[in-house]
Amino acid sequence: MNPMNKAALLTALMLTTPYCMAAPYFGLGLGKSSTEALTPNDVMTLETGFNGGEVLDSFSQKNTDTAFKFFAGYSLNKNLNLETGYINFGKYSFVTNDTDNRYDPSATSFKHHVESEIKTSGLYISATPQINYSNGISINPTLGILIWSTTGKLRTSTDATYASKPDFHVSSEKTLSDNGVDP
């Protein structure tokens, strides 16, 4: 059974729990998400496949965003909650520009531009037991799975001008995607 079918089955089972045994709840979560910051050398490695210690003319990135989630659950009893929800982790991007003609020394003018935007979201199912530690203090570990998907675009363009041959222009756009299931 694939992960999406398992998630759908678990959600259906959770939502069909008799109301006499459970107290339903719904909510919205809002926060900040971030990803590891890239360095210009990381981008050079991604772009060219090697890190030659080269310096880009400009490099900017957005590696934080607002994240949100919608969720619904049941408090089965005072010691156990079951929950399912959707999480949007936000968008992340970077942009580079390079005018060094090291890739084509015969060019009189050279410009290379790269930009990428990626977004990630997922569905989760979790169980949260409440372990009462002492008067008024409890521990609430959350155990569950996240079924996530990442999609995005990578755009590149290169323009070169020559004194003795036709000018060169190439651009491309790639669709990026990945998904998985994690605890």
Side-chain angles (χ1 to χ4, degrees), residues 5-150:
N5 289 343
K6 286 181 187 178
L9 177 62
L10 288 171
T11 301
L13 288 173
M14 187 178 85
L15 295 175
T16 58
T17 302
Y19 282 103
C20 63
M21 296 175 57
Y25 62 90
F26 305 92
L28 168 70
L30 189 63
K32 185 177 181 178
S33 65
S34 65
T35 186
E36 185 176 325
L38 293 171
T39 67
N41 281 339
D42 293 333
V43 174
M44 288 297 294
T45 302
L46 289 170
E47 186 180 334
T48 64
F50 68 92
N51 182 348
E54 303 290 348
V55 177
L56 298 168
D57 291 339
S58 67
F59 169 71
S60 64
Q61 68 182 314
K62 178 183 169 227
N63 66 328
T64 61
D65 201 5
T66 301
F68 64 89
K69 74 176 184 175
F70 299 102
F71 59 92
Y74 285 116
S75 296
L76 294 177
N77 56 45
K78 68 178 185 170
N79 296 320
L80 183 62
N81 294 333
L82 297 177
E83 188 173 290
T84 187
Y86 166 80
I87 301 175
N88 184 315
F89 292 99
K91 293 181 182 177
Y92 307 99
S93 62
F94 72 84
V95 176
T96 69
N97 285 297
D98 193 6
T99 57
D100 185 348
N101 66 344
R102 66 183 165 271
Y103 302 116
D104 190 353
S106 65
T108 56
S109 157
F110 183 87
K111 182 176 182 188
H112 188 64
H113 176 82
V114 177
E115 62 182 85
S116 178
E117 183 176 271
I118 297 171
K119 57 186 175 181
T120 302
S121 61
L123 300 172
Y124 74 92
I125 299 172
S126 65
T128 305
Q130 180 173 332
I131 304 164
N132 295 315
Y133 182 68
S134 68
N135 190 17
I137 298 174
S138 63
I139 300 170
N140 301 82
T142 299
L143 307 167
I145 60 169
L146 173 66
I147 302 163
W148 57 270
S149 175
T150 297

Side-chain angles (χ1 to χ4, degrees), residues 147-166:
I147 302 163
W148 57 270
S149 175
T150 297
T151 59
K153 299 278 186 196
L154 176 67
R155 295 176 202 81
T156 62
S157 65
T158 303
D159 292 296
T161 305
Y162 301 94
S164 61
K165 60 182 179 178

